[in-house]
Structures are given as C-alpha cells and as structure tokens.
Amino acid sequence: MLSVAFPLAWFCAILNEIQTVQSFAYAPNFITKIIADSTGKEPVGLLEVLETPIEENGKQDVDKKDLENLSGAGVPVCTRFPPEPNGYLHLGHAKAVSFNFAVARMFEPDGRCHMRLDDTNPSKEDQEYVDSILDDVRWIQSGTQPFKDAPVQELPENNGPWYGPVRKTSDYFDLIYDCAISLIKSGDAYVESLSAEEMREYRGSLTEPGKESPYRTRSIEENLEMFKKMKNGDYKDGEHILRAKIDMSSPNINMRDPALYRIKHESHPATGDQWCIYPMYDFSHPIADAVEEITHSLCTLEFEDHRPFYDWTLDKLIPTKLITARPQQIEFSRLNIKYTVLSKRKLIQLVEGKHVNGWDDPRMPTLSGMRRRGVPPAALRLFCERVGISKSDSNIDVGDLENCIREVMDENCKRAFAVLDPLKVTIKNWQGSTMEDFNVPRHPKKLDMGDRVVPFGKTIYIERSDFFDLEGPEGEANAGVKPKGFKRLLPNGNVRLKYAYVISCDEVVRDPETQEPIELLCTLFPETRAGATPEGSSRVKGIIQWVSAKAGVRCTINQYDRLFKVEEPGKDVDDFLKDLNPNSLNVLKNAIVEPSVAMDALSVISNNRVNKESDENDVMNPLEASYQFERNGYFALDPQSSGIDSLTFNRVVTLRDTWAVSNESKPDKRTNGSKPRNRGAQASSNVIEDVRRVAFRAGTVLEASQHPGASNLLVCKVDCGDEGGEARTVVAGLAGKISMESLVGLKIACVTNLKPAKMRGVESTAMLLAASKKDESDEVVELLRVSDDVPNGELFNFEGKDLSEPDPMMKSKGALKAFDRVKANLKANGNRDVIFLQGEEEFRLMTSKGPVRTQKLREVAIQ
C-alpha cells in the first residue's frame, strides 16, 4: 500500500501514535530543548521529526526565563522522582516516573535519575506506602537499561532502576535546619505567632494584597531563640511556625511569606523522636535537589507558581555555601485520563466504601492495581511517551492506554486456548479414550517462542456462544433465523476446530427443564486434519477454539472492564460514585484452559515463591504468565494464585475497543444500503471492525503528471464516484515505478476516507492501493486492478464479513490506529487475491464483479 495521502509532517506526527513497540520514544519537546540549551548536550533516542519550532497550541512553549541562569553545564544531567510516602502511586505518577527516567537516559553517557522519598510529614507516612512506591517504580522501569556506572547497593531495599540508593528528604534534616538558621540570621525568616485563622486573614486574596504580621519585625536574636525552642519541643503544635520574609504584597500568593517549618510532636518513621519540627515541602524541595546535584527538577504544572520561591531559596542559600548546586525547576502538564479518577480523596472513597477490593484492585488506576491486573510496564511507558510532554492540559482517552496495552501484549504474549463458558462436545466417531497431540506455535509471528502441545480427544469443550441453537430457546427468540454474519456451529452444521478437524453437529442434548443445550453430539471428518480441505469440498469458514475435557484445567476468570461508565465521573451527577460501571467485574468460575497454560502458571508461582523466600526485589516479568486467549482477549495470571486448584486469570484488556465513541453518520448512497455506524459503549454487537471502517472504493485514473516539486511523486486525477463528478487529486510515490502513460484509464482500488494532506504543496485526497516486491536490484510495483464493469465509487466489502460501514473520515487517533492495524494485515495470497488476514482466517476484498487481485505478484504485502 503506497502512503500517497500522507505528507512527511503528518507521518512524523503519527509515528508518535503508531510506532512499533521496540522503537517507541518521546518526541522532542520544550523540556529536552531547555536541557540541551543549559548543558550543551544533545539528547539521544528521541523521535525524528521535522526541524520546526517546538510549539504548543500556536505559541512557543519555551519561556525565556527558563533559559536564564542555565544549570548543569559540564556535569551529568540528573533528574529525580520524589513522591510523598503517604499513598499509592497511580497513573498520573506513571508519567512522572517514565519521563524523569527517560530524560536521564536521553543525555548520555552519564545521565542519571534519583529515587527520593519526600518524607517531611510524619503524620501521613507509612512503611506500607514506602514499600509499595518502590515496588511500583521497580516494576514500571523493569526491562529498561540500567544507568551507566551506577554504584552497587549493599542493602536490598536500595536496589532498583534508579541511580544510587533510595534517598529521603529526612536524610537532609540537619542541613535543612542549618539553612533555616542561616535565613533567620540574614533577616530573611522570622517566627510567626499568628493563629492559622489569623494568617489566612493577613494573607490576602488573588485580588487583594496581604498585610504584614505584627511579629514580622521580631529581632534576629529573638527569632533564633524562639526557633531553637521550637526545635527543643518547648512549644505546642501550631503555636508558632517559621516563615520566609519576602513580600506580603506580591501578586503571587506563594511569595507572601511562605511557611518554612511547622511544629509536629510526632515520631518520624526514619528519624524517630529526634525532631518535633518538620520543614515544608516547598522549602525542603530545592535544598534536597541542590544537595543531590539535581540539574533539572521536573514537576507538574501545579508547581509553576511555586517556582519563584524555589529560585528565591536557592538565591539566598547558595552564597552561604550550605548548598552549591543550582538545580532548574521545569513544569509540564499532568496526566488526566477519561473514564477514571486520580484524586487521592476519591480513590480513598472507593477503597473505604468497599466499591473495590483494596488499593491493588485490578480496576483501580493505581500502579499496584495495574500491576496485579497484568498490564505490561512497557505498555505504560509506551502510553506515556505517546501522550508526550507539553504545558497544555489535556484529558486523554483511556482507550489510548488500552491500545498501548494491546500493542505490547499482541507482540509479546503467547497464544492459548481458553473456554470461558464451556459447552460439552462429544465426538461420536472417535475411537476409545485415546488422545492426539497437536504441536502448534505459541505465537504465530514469533516462532522463536516455540511450540505448545494441545491434546485432543473424544470429549472437548467449546464456547457456548460458538453454538447458535436454532431449535432451542435462543432460536425461537430470533424467529428461527441465525444471527447476521454468524459462521460458527449450528444444528446440522459444520465448523472447524482450530488446528484440528472439521466437525458437524448431529444432535443436541438439552436440559429437561430449561431446554438449554448441555451437550453436542458431533461427527469428526478425519480427512480435514490440521486445516486440510479435501478436493471437491467447500472450505468451512467458521473456525473456533476448543479445550480437551480430559487434559484441560479448570480456572477462574476475572473479566475486568472500566470502573466507570462515563468519561468524566461525577460531572453530570452530584456523586461520582453514581457513575460506577456495574459491569466492571464479571467472575467466571467454570472456565477451562489448555494444559500448557496451567504448566506455565505453576512454574511462575514456584519462581515467585522462591523470590519471596529469598527476599529479593526482582520484579516478575508480567509477560511470563500472560496470554492472548484466542478470540477472548488478553489475560494474565493473578499474583494471588497459589496452585493448580486456585488458578485465576485477570482480563487485562479486550481484543478490540468495545467502548468506542458513538459516531453516527448519514447513510451513503454508495454503501448499498448499509446502516450508519453506531459504536455504542460496551455493545460489542455494535462495534465496527477496523477493516469495515475503511472506505475501499473503485476509481479510474483520468490524468497523471510529474509533481512540480518532487521527482519521486506523481500527481493523478482520479474519478472516485463522488457526487457532482469532481475528480480527486492523489499524490503518489510512483514516479519511476509505473509510467504515467500506462496509468491513465486504469480502474484501480483506492481508500477515500483518509484526512486530506498536502504533499510538497499539493493536497492529496485519496490513497492508491498497490502491491510491491523488492529484490536485491529492483522493486516491482502493481496497482490493484478492478474490473472495468465496477462503477467508480463502489464500496468494496470483505467476503465473510458484514457490509463495510466506513467512517466519514479517519482522522482521530483511534481511527488512524485502526487504519494502521488494517494495513498491517492486508496482503496478496498465492491466488493473487487481496485478503485481510485475521489469525488464520483469510477474508477476500470483493467488488460486485469479483475479487480485487494483483496481476502477477503473489504472497506479498499491500504496502
């Protein structure tokens, strides 16, 4: 397929959305530019894009003030991740973790990222949170390259992907205290004795300046004496605080004499009862950064108004030599995601209200929940990189995260058979209790994963949904007619058992009370083994998975879905809990998996038990027990599984997006009566398959000429059957591959619902489909030809699938990803038919006059 409708700028932008898993990376952004300017070092590993100004919504993202007092020249670029140990990390933190670590790796050879716990508030901190945070960071960074020359850590708890040991702000309490003393001595800090309510009154508002405290004029000697008494425990909680002396009339409220220290008579997890005063985060933050020689302190945008105080603190303390380094604070937008909540208060409500089963519930947006669900950490990093870095707030569709999970798991997960809702099938003509083994690949595209053995015998299970009971209750409810497009098993019908045989259903055994089928008695056709179709026989279109009743292993399946049913929970109701999705968890206790899955699971359980006993911090590879259960979705072993009798698998993500946004469009007269699309949430029967969303149509080339600005491009006029008879302009990379004279008059296949895009100044409004084959010396290109009897504009369909229902225009991120998935599976088979390959099934691209075909090329990609 020739990407003739996509200019370079568009293609570079899309790389950030649809690049392969192995090569994902951040796009250049204002932060990488600031760091490059401040250090003289160029980042490596960024996406290659056009050299254009780094802008956001039409304005320059790089503030000139960010480039003043540049820091870091001649020293290693050093970032840090400094969470407070007072809760569990969530998806919002994933962006901060991923970017801080990624930035450090961009600036070779000595970039580094520190792990620091901001433990300045003992009343909210707990060792449980510390352990969870460190485990989450180890997990999300698992599989990444370690930092060069990172020192070896003797204590196991210090081991991780970060550089050096786990650091804590409490490690610097003595120094921070000395810094406070220095500010008092220089007249830049004083002890405040106003009550909290009085301080709020004196502070002013966004529109009114504050007024100075009557205690602001205390002498340096009095302030020193009172601050030392605060340290010695002579005052009660809240009786006094230490404040910076800056400007109570500042338009920035954060500069109106902010608090530096408060009294808290509480034991600290790390320092015990050594201290009864604790520094405020805004004060300790720049000091800790400077001590650790952090060059660039990357924060989310809510800290932008705090940056003047960050810089003020450094300006006051660097001359004292208590600190020497000058870190630079830079802010970026935080991560907001649709269909979820990230507010700590709301997450606590979910847990304490028993709406979920704890902080690691696989439906929770916490990293521990994502980890338990089975989300690969590479998928989270990929998502963060595709979201990118800017200063503009955005609300990202959770479907983008799910697509990243699908991409990583599709590439790396083993395939297996699982039957979630079993229906017994007995093969009448199978001899005795003998078993037959089928050796099949663990991954159809990665043969290095090896094979697995799938046993077959007289009794098997299939999915209940793969049998439509025309003669039973569901048949009566459907007027005795099978559902549209149903190609699987019917009474007296045939279906192929994947990798095995074709069977026919001869008899249905029913429950005497409900009349529901409980067993199917079937006949097997031995000559159809392993996909064979006997000469003279019709190919059976329906293919289903199965599991041997004798060798299969029972397990529990947790079918997880989105926790909320609306994009913005609580937006249209008074309580966000009213927007909880009642179908977010469906537990299936009677599922059956093939034996290879059970063997893998037991091996993983055993390894985990050994790691726990040895007290190692190694993070289990989540893909070791993750699968694509064919035709069911992507699943992972629940970490709480303890043996063969307690195997539980969590659905990580569905095979396709079943929550796509409703996008109704007017009927197109060229769709032969197909209905407009309506992709309703959770209604899988309404979800339009990717391949049916693309408008493959017939067109005739009317003109062809050389592009005026590019020697490798041709500009064609193509009649695509549009209303009014106006021809489309198509820019194609065909120069030198197909002569212009031979193009004119050809009836060809094209894609007509892609977003128009300029290519070297000429707008292209369609894409020509072509097959190509390269050898050592040449490339052969063939446009896909269509019978002259096919009218221009006719919408093609895929044989064996419902009629196509194309998007009006494929321009959203989700639509472009769908188109990319379609492109990846289009090819010409051995008969020269253009097909869409779905697993082992082939679906021919059909016109009203027959299949779309190549002229000579066989077994090639359409690209």
Side-chain angles (χ1 to χ4, degrees):
M1 181 178 294
L2 298 176
S3 300
V4 298
F6 304 131
L8 182 59
W10 184 94
F11 181 69
C12 289
I14 293 307
L15 275 178
N16 196 34
E17 299 298 330
I18 58 175
Q19 57 196 298
T20 58
V21 173
Q22 292 90 339
S23 60
F24 59 73
Y26 282 94
N29 55 74
F30 73 97
I31 291 182
T32 56
K33 183 179 188 307
I34 290 173
I35 297 176
D37 289 343
S38 66
T39 62
K41 300 178 180 180
E42 290 300 317
V44 298
L46 291 171
L47 285 178
E48 294 183 5
V49 299
L50 290 179
E51 294 183 4
T52 56
I54 300 171
E55 298 179 343
E56 185 66 31
N57 297 331
K59 68 178 181 180
Q60 192 74 24
D61 253 339
V62 182
D63 190 333
K64 289 183 179 179
K65 292 181 180 179
D66 289 335
L67 299 179
E68 296 177 357
N69 300 317
L70 299 179
S71 63
V75 299
V77 170
C78 188
T79 61
R80 83 288 175 270
F81 177 60
E84 298 177 66
N86 61 1
Y88 291 82
L89 300 186
H90 55 62
L91 282 170
H93 297 103
K95 180 178 178 179
V97 174
S98 297
F99 189 56
N100 272 285
F101 276 82
V103 164
R105 292 190 177 95
M106 289 176 197
F107 290 89
E108 295 180 339
D110 49 8
R112 55 194 61 171
C113 182
H114 290 183
M115 179 73 218
R116 183 200 309 150
L117 298 170
D118 175 41
D119 56 346
T120 57
N121 189 356
S123 60
K124 295 184 177 181
E125 292 157 10
D126 192 279
Q127 188 61 37
E128 175 187 350
Y129 299 137
V130 171
D131 295 341
S132 175
I133 288 170
L134 297 181
D135 283 347
D136 285 342
V137 175
R138 291 185 184 105
W139 169 70
I140 200 171
Q141 286 292 301
S142 60
T144 60
Q145 290 294 321
F147 291 112
K148 184 179 179 181
D149 299 327
V152 177
Q153 301 303 311
E154 295 182 3
L155 299 176
E157 59 266 32
N158 281 327
N159 288 323
W162 44 82
Y163 187 92
V166 175
R167 296 164 168 87
K168 299 176 181 178
T169 303
S170 58
D171 296 338
Y172 317 124
F173 275 179
D174 287 326
L175 174 62
I176 297 170
Y177 177 78
D178 290 342
C179 289
I181 292 290
S182 175
L183 291 178
I184 295 173
K185 289 180 178 179
S186 64
D188 293 307
Y190 65 96
V191 174
E192 174 65 271
S193 300
L194 290 176
S195 67
E197 185 177 346
E198 290 172 327
M199 284 184 62
R200 281 192 291 271
E201 293 176 0
Y202 275 66
R203 192 180 190 193
S205 67
L206 293 174
T207 57
E208 297 179 352
K211 56 184 180 180
E212 294 184 355
S213 165
Y215 304 102
R216 199 174 192 263
T217 56
R218 276 177 170 150
S219 68
I220 291 175
E221 291 74 17
E222 184 180 3
N223 283 319
L224 285 171
E225 182 181 357
M226 291 186 69
F227 187 54
K228 289 177 180 177
K229 286 183 177 181
M230 287 172 59
K231 178 181 181 290
N232 294 333
D234 294 346
Y235 301 123
K236 296 180 294 184
D237 287 8
E239 191 172 352
H240 304 287
I241 66 168
L242 183 70
R243 297 178 74 175
K245 187 186 293 185
I246 306 178
D247 182 4
M248 288 302 295
S249 64
S250 172
N252 184 343
I253 288 182
N254 296 287
M255 295 296 282
R256 296 180 188 174
D257 292 8
L260 305 181
Y261 264 90
R262 77 285 210 195
I263 302 170
K264 275 183 175 287
H265 289 274
E266 295 186 32
S267 182
H268 189 283
T271 61
D273 296 324
Q274 180 181 350
W275 296 90
C276 61
I277 56 171
Y278 294 97
M280 306 300 291
Y281 173 78
D282 279 358
F283 182 52
S284 63
H285 176 202
I287 297 172
D289 283 349
V291 171
E292 295 179 13
E293 297 187 330
I294 301 299
T295 56
H296 299 87
S297 182
L298 310 182
C299 310
T300 46
L301 275 177
E302 62 263 36
F303 292 100
E304 186 171 30
D305 290 340
H306 298 244
R307 192 200 323 157
F309 179 57
Y310 184 98
D311 292 337
W312 180 91
T313 303
L314 296 175
D315 290 340
K316 294 296 181 180
L317 294 176
I318 287 176
T320 68
K321 305 300 183 182
L322 289 169
I323 58 174
T324 56
R326 177 178 286 278
Q328 183 180 14
Q329 178 175 306
I330 313 173
E331 306 84 22
F332 58 92
S333 61
R334 65 189 305 167
L335 181 61
N336 301 304
I337 304 179
K338 298 177 182 178
Y339 290 98
T340 192
V341 294
L342 298 180
S343 157
K344 184 180 293 185
R345 176 181 60 82
K346 291 181 178 179
L347 294 178
I348 289 173
Q349 280 184 261
L350 289 171
V351 174
E352 294 184 350
K354 306 297 184 183
H355 302 287
V356 293
N357 300 317
W359 287 96
D360 68 342
D361 186 302
R363 294 166 294 179
M364 287 281 279
T366 56
L367 296 190
S368 55
M370 306 287 282
R371 180 153 44 106
R372 180 176 173 185
R373 185 161 177 162
V375 173
L380 279 184
R381 297 197 301 270
L382 176 60
F383 171 65
C384 294
E385 288 159 3
R386 287 183 176 172
V387 167
I389 299 297
S390 75
K391 283 197 172 183
S392 297
D393 282 329
S394 58
N395 202 11
I396 307 300
D397 193 332
V398 73
D400 293 339
L401 170 59
E402 292 168 345
N403 283 333
C404 291
I405 296 171
R406 290 187 186 97
E407 186 171 333
V408 171
M409 296 192 77
D410 179 67
E411 174 75 12
N412 296 286
C413 282
K414 294 168 281 192
R415 274 40 172 182
F417 288 161
V419 176
L420 309 189
D421 183 15
L423 176 60
K424 183 179 180 181
V425 173
T426 299
I427 310 298
K428 297 191 300 182
N429 58 334
W430 189 264
Q431 300 301 316
S433 59
T434 58
M435 301 288 289
E436 179 179 8
D437 289 341
F438 288 90
N439 289 302
V440 300
R442 285 186 174 269
H443 195 297
K445 298 178 183 178
K446 302 185 76 170
L447 299 183
D448 57 325
M449 284 191 178
D451 291 344
R452 67 187 201 268
V453 175
V454 184
F456 182 86
K458 185 176 183 65
T459 305
I460 61 172
Y461 289 103
I462 66 171
E463 290 285 359
R464 172 63 184 86
S465 59
D466 284 336
F467 174 71
F468 189 79
D469 188 12
L470 282 172
E471 301 165 353
E474 66 180 356
E476 293 176 6
N478 208 42
V481 179
K482 69 176 183 178
K484 183 180 179 180
F486 187 86
K487 298 178 180 65
R488 301 182 296 280
L489 192 57
L490 298 167
N492 301 311
N494 294 351
V495 76
R496 176 173 290 281
L497 303 175
K498 189 170 185 178
Y499 299 125
Y501 300 95
V502 172
I503 60 172
S504 65
C505 177
D506 304 326
E507 184 180 347
V508 180
V509 180
R510 302 183 182 280
D511 183 290
E513 295 183 2
T514 65
Q515 293 302 300
E516 286 291 328
I518 57 175
E519 182 180 8
L520 306 181
L521 304 180
C522 298
T523 298
L524 175 148
F525 299 97
E527 64 276 13
T528 62
R529 187 183 188 281
T533 299
E535 187 174 350
S537 300
S538 299
R539 184 166 64 94
V540 175
K541 295 179 180 178
I543 303 176
I544 63 175
Q545 80 271 23
W546 49 275
V547 173
S548 163
K550 185 176 181 180
V553 177
R554 296 277 177 179
C555 67
T556 297
I557 296 288
N558 292 323
Q559 295 264 48
Y560 289 110
D561 208 338
R562 297 180 185 176
L563 186 56
F564 292 94
K565 59 188 178 183
V566 297
E567 288 187 356
E568 298 183 55
K571 180 181 180 181
D572 298 323
V573 293
D574 57 355
D575 183 358
F576 80 102
L577 296 173
K578 293 180 180 178
D579 287 328
L580 283 167
N581 175 18
N583 300 312
S584 63
L585 172 59
N586 181 25
V587 181
L588 307 175
K589 293 189 172 293
N590 201 32
I592 304 174
V593 294
E594 64 174 76
S596 69
V597 173
M599 295 297 291
D600 290 344
L602 291 177
S603 176
V604 169
I605 291 170
S606 175
N607 290 337
N608 286 347
R609 189 175 294 123
V610 170
N611 287 341
K612 287 180 180 178
E613 290 174 355
S614 61
D615 196 29
E616 294 183 3
N617 284 320
D618 293 338
V619 179
M620 182 194 81
N621 180 356
L623 297 173
E624 288 181 357
S626 298
Y627 300 88
Q628 183 195 101
F629 286 159
E630 299 199 27
R631 298 176 59 237
N632 278 316
Y634 295 97
F635 293 78
L637 180 69
D638 189 286
Q640 294 188 2
S641 300
S642 58
I644 195 69
D645 296 325
S646 65
L647 292 184
T648 300
F649 291 89
N650 299 325
R651 184 171 69 184
V652 184
V653 69
T654 56
L655 286 176
R656 300 177 189 86
D657 183 5
T658 59
W659 284 78
V661 178
S662 177
N663 180 18
E664 298 206 15
S665 60
K666 295 179 181 179
D668 190 323
K669 69 178 184 179
R670 296 173 295 167
T671 61
N672 298 322
S674 60
K675 297 179 181 179
R677 301 176 60 234
N678 179 7
R679 307 182 74 212
Q682 275 194 301
S684 59
S685 61
N686 291 334
V687 174
I688 306 300
E689 289 184 90
D690 293 341
V691 76
R692 296 171 55 223
R693 298 176 60 185
V694 182
F696 296 100
R697 298 187 186 274
T700 299
V701 181
L702 305 178
E703 301 175 12
S705 59
Q706 182 68 48
H707 191 293
S711 60
N712 64 323
L713 300 177
L714 298 180
V715 180
C716 304
K717 292 290 186 180
V718 182
D719 181 359
C720 296
D722 292 301
E723 292 185 14
E726 184 176 354
R728 296 190 181 214
T729 300
V730 181
V731 182
L734 297 173
K737 300 174 182 177
I738 300 179
S739 68
M740 290 184 284
E741 296 78 12
S742 65
L743 278 173
V744 177
L746 287 183
K747 180 83 72 172
I748 46 83
C750 52
V751 177
T752 62
N753 65 336
L754 296 172
K755 183 180 179 180
K758 285 190 176 181
M759 298 184 68
R760 298 291 185 90
V762 179
E763 186 174 65
S764 185
T765 57
M767 172 186 283
L768 307 184
L769 298 179
S772 66
K773 182 178 182 180
K774 290 184 178 180
D775 56 29
E776 295 181 356
S777 60
D778 199 8
E779 179 183 14
V780 178
V781 177
E782 292 183 2
L783 291 179
L784 300 188
R785 301 285 295 274
V786 179
S787 169
D788 290 336
D789 296 331
V790 177
N792 289 333
E794 178 179 293
L795 179 66
F796 305 159
N797 297 291
F798 284 87
E799 185 179 43
K801 291 189 176 292
D802 291 345
L803 294 176
S804 294
E805 299 180 23
D807 290 24
M809 185 177 292
M810 302 192 77
K811 60 181 181 179
S812 68
K813 292 180 181 178
L816 293 171
K817 292 174 185 176
F819 179 65
D820 187 62
R821 292 191 291 269
V822 173
K823 285 196 301 181
N825 290 286
L826 282 177
K827 62 176 291 186
N829 65 13
N831 295 324
R832 296 186 290 109
D833 295 332
V834 175
I835 61 168
F836 177 72
L837 195 62
Q838 194 169 36
E840 292 193 344
E841 295 186 82
E842 296 181 1
F843 300 90
R844 295 193 298 174
L845 183 61
M846 301 294 293
T847 72
S848 58
K849 304 299 181 182
V852 178
R853 309 184 73 189
T854 59
Q855 292 179 291
K856 295 180 180 179
L857 295 180
R858 305 171 187 265
E859 301 292 349
V860 294
I862 307 302
Q863 55 185 7

